[in-house]
């Protein structure tokens, strides 16, 4: 079944690449030279497969960069080309010159593509701070209030790199957090790129009274042992909660393995022995275990993963898949906050969403 789905996906993608390639070729009107046409087809073939081939060939930097920007161009053109061709078809019913109309339409599409990619790049690399005020109706001892700063889905690596990490540290410290929480996808499948850019050292600059804690996401992986990856992250100044719970001041903080991890423990076993009369905060990368968290007495669950779709109209898919795909939701005594993420995956753009850091002011007690 999965093989047939994969074949169908490749065929659809191949058709869309052909559609884009043919449209661009017509606008360029380079002539009928077969040598030039062969070169164009070869370049298009390499570029359109570069994101996948770069990873299969050992995370080749050049191919991965080309592939990421190709995905941005591909997405924007697939959004723009169909309505443009529909308009051209309607113009054929008028007396306007067809060739002139096609040239002007092609120019307009290219201008819009540049504008949208520029705007999407701004949304990806210029995070907003999203603030929430919540109450947890449990006693936390002497702790009456807590300023939590949360960031998810940094995807630190090739394109979400050193500068983006420095920006994260600067903005987190400006919020003067009591505690910093990272619910997964800290790296982007490549710990070497993370270390090579010195992001591990940069993150040690985060200042929080009670420390920095993280759970792992579906992209926090590489070819080595998971203990090695956890060691790298903990050397970055954070404590990784890998199906674990611990006490921080007057509350319990727990972190789960990602849902894709077949060895992921039941939440009941992670919280066994926990004093549920005290506040319980859970880091769970994918926001699809709200019922389980509610049943086990969790008060606040923090997640990411969805990117709020990252590019329009993918948010419609995440809304259909997750009960809470972005923002705040309350289910009885359980409160869920899902971040759109600080970084991005694939194309380095966001359209219909924006990168963000989340600040949560929590009051304890009734």
């Amino acid at each position: 079944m999965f093989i047939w789905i994969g074949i169908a996906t490749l065929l659809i993608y191949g058709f869309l690449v052909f559609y884009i390639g043919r449209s661009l070729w017509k606008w360029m009107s380079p002539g009928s030279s077969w040598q030039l046409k062969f070169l164009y087809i070869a370049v298009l073939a390499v570029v359109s497969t570069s994101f996948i081939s770069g990873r299969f060939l050992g995370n080749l930097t050049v191919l991965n960069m080309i592939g990421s920007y190709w995905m941005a161009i591909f997405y924007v053109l697939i959004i723009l080309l169909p309505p443009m061709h529909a308009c051209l078809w309607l113009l054929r019913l008028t007396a306007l010159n067809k060739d002139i109309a096609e040239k002007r339409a092609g120019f307009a599409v290219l201008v819009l593509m540049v504008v949208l990619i520029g705007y999407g790049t701004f949304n990806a690399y210029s995070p907003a701070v999203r603030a929430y005020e919540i109450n947890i109706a449990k006693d936390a001892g002497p702790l009456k209030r807590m300023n939590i700063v949360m960031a998810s889905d940094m995807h630190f690596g090739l394109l979400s790199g050193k500068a983006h990490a420095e920006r994260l540290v600067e903005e987190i410290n400006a919020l003067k957090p009591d505690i910093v929480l990272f619910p997964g996808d800290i790296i982007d499948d490549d710990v070497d790129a993370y270390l090579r850019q010195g992001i591990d050292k940069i993150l040690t600059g985060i200042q929080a009274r009670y420390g920095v804690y993280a759970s792992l996401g579906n992209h926090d992986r590489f070819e080595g042992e998971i203990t090695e990856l956890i060691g790298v992250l903990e050397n970055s100044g954070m404590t990784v909660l890998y199906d674990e719970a611990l006490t921080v001041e007057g509350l319990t903080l727990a972190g789960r393995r990602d849902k894709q991890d077949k060895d992921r423990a039941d939440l009941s076993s992670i919280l066994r022995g926990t004093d549920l009369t005290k506040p319980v905060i859970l880091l769970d990368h994918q926001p699809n275990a709200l019922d389980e968290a509610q049943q086990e007495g969790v008060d606040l669950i923090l997640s990411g993963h969805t990117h709020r779709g990252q590019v329009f109209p993918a948010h419609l898919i995440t809304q259909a898949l997750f009960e809470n795909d972005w923002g705040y939701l309350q289910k009885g005594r359980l409160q869920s906050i899902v971040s759109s993420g600080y970084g991005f995956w694939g194309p380095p753009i966001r359209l219909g969403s924006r990168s963000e850091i989340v600040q949560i002011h929590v009051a304890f007690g009734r």
Side-chain angles (χ1 to χ4, degrees):
M1 179 64 178
F2 290 109
I3 293 175
W4 289 112
I5 293 174
I7 292 172
T9 301
L10 288 175
L11 288 174
I12 293 170
Y13 177 68
F15 170 77
L16 293 175
V17 170
F18 171 78
Y19 172 58
I20 290 173
R22 186 172 181 273
S23 299
L24 293 176
W25 179 263
K26 286 185 68 177
W27 290 335
M28 291 186 297
S29 301
S32 57
S33 165
W34 70 266
Q35 295 96 334
L36 192 58
K37 185 176 290 187
F38 177 80
L39 178 62
Y40 176 74
I41 292 171
V43 170
L44 183 62
V46 171
V47 168
S48 62
T49 58
S50 56
F51 187 77
I52 297 173
S53 60
R55 300 201 170 207
F56 273 110
L57 295 174
N59 272 318
L60 291 181
T61 300
V62 174
L63 282 178
N64 280 329
M65 288 190 69
I66 293 172
S68 295
Y69 283 103
W70 159 255
M71 287 177 69
I73 294 169
F74 174 82
Y75 164 76
V76 171
L77 288 180
I78 288 301
I79 294 295
L80 295 178
L81 286 177
M84 184 275 296
H85 280 124
C87 289
L88 286 177
W89 184 82
L90 291 173
L91 286 174
R92 290 179 180 179
L93 304 177
T94 70
L96 291 175
N97 183 286
K98 175 186 171 184
D99 292 334
I100 294 176
E102 283 193 357
K103 291 291 184 184
R104 289 179 177 175
F107 178 75
V109 165
L110 293 178
V111 169
L112 280 173
M113 180 187 75
V114 171
V115 169
L116 286 175
I117 289 178
Y119 176 65
T121 301
F122 172 82
N123 283 341
Y125 285 104
S126 303
V129 176
R130 197 164 304 279
Y132 299 91
E133 296 270 352
I134 69 170
N135 176 258
I136 295 178
K138 288 182 179 179
D139 177 53
L143 197 63
K144 303 303 179 186
R145 298 188 64 86
M146 178 175 273
N147 177 19
I148 299 173
V149 174
M150 160 193 169
S152 74
D153 302 276
M154 288 78 87
H155 289 273
F156 285 133
L158 189 61
L159 294 176
S160 180
K162 179 180 179 181
H164 211 37
E166 290 172 340
R167 188 178 299 113
L168 176 72
V169 173
E170 180 181 342
E171 298 213 10
I172 285 178
N173 289 342
L175 296 173
K176 302 186 183 306
D178 293 319
I179 192 170
V180 174
L181 304 176
F182 294 151
D185 279 0
I186 299 159
I187 70 167
D188 194 30
D189 303 309
D190 183 7
V191 75
D192 291 334
Y194 177 86
L195 293 172
R196 188 168 58 248
Q197 297 183 76
I199 295 173
D200 55 331
K201 295 180 177 63
I202 293 169
L203 295 185
T204 60
I206 295 174
Q207 300 169 7
R209 182 185 307 176
Y210 303 124
V212 181
Y213 299 86
S215 64
L216 300 187
N218 55 302
H219 286 277
D220 291 313
R221 60 187 180 185
F222 76 123
E223 294 180 358
E225 296 293 329
I226 194 67
T227 51
E228 184 180 345
L229 174 59
I230 290 174
V232 167
L233 294 177
E234 295 201 328
N235 286 337
S236 305
M238 64 191 80
T239 299
V240 176
L241 299 174
Y242 194 57
D243 277 353
E244 299 170 78
L246 49 74
T247 300
V248 178
E249 292 301 302
L251 57 84
T252 294
L253 181 63
R256 302 192 74 176
R257 303 189 193 195
D258 183 68
K259 186 177 183 295
Q260 292 186 12
D261 191 329
K262 64 181 186 302
D263 295 322
R264 168 170 151 129
D266 292 333
L267 185 56
S268 59
S269 66
I270 298 172
L271 297 179
R272 187 172 294 124
T274 296
D275 183 359
L276 295 180
T277 66
K278 303 293 185 182
V280 179
I281 299 175
L282 174 66
L283 305 181
D284 194 359
H285 179 62
Q286 300 190 39
N288 49 18
L290 302 191
D291 290 335
E292 185 183 5
Q294 182 183 21
Q295 181 180 335
E296 296 301 328
V298 172
D299 299 292
L300 174 63
I301 180 170
L302 303 178
S303 306
H305 183 66
T306 68
H307 294 210
R308 203 192 180 193
Q310 187 166 319
V311 290
F312 174 88
H315 70 287
L316 300 176
I317 298 173
T318 59
Q319 285 177 359
L321 290 176
F322 300 98
E323 186 175 4
N324 182 22
D325 79 312
W326 176 69
Y328 176 84
L329 175 72
Q330 183 161 6
K331 283 174 65 89
R333 295 185 66 170
L334 173 70
Q335 299 176 81
S336 162
I337 294 177
V338 179
S339 173
S340 66
Y342 180 79
F344 46 83
W345 184 85
I349 60 171
R350 283 178 171 268
L351 294 170
S353 71
R354 186 172 176 181
S355 65
E356 66 180 22
I357 296 171
V358 176
Q359 184 176 35
I360 310 165
H361 292 287
V362 185
F364 299 105
R366 301 181 189 279

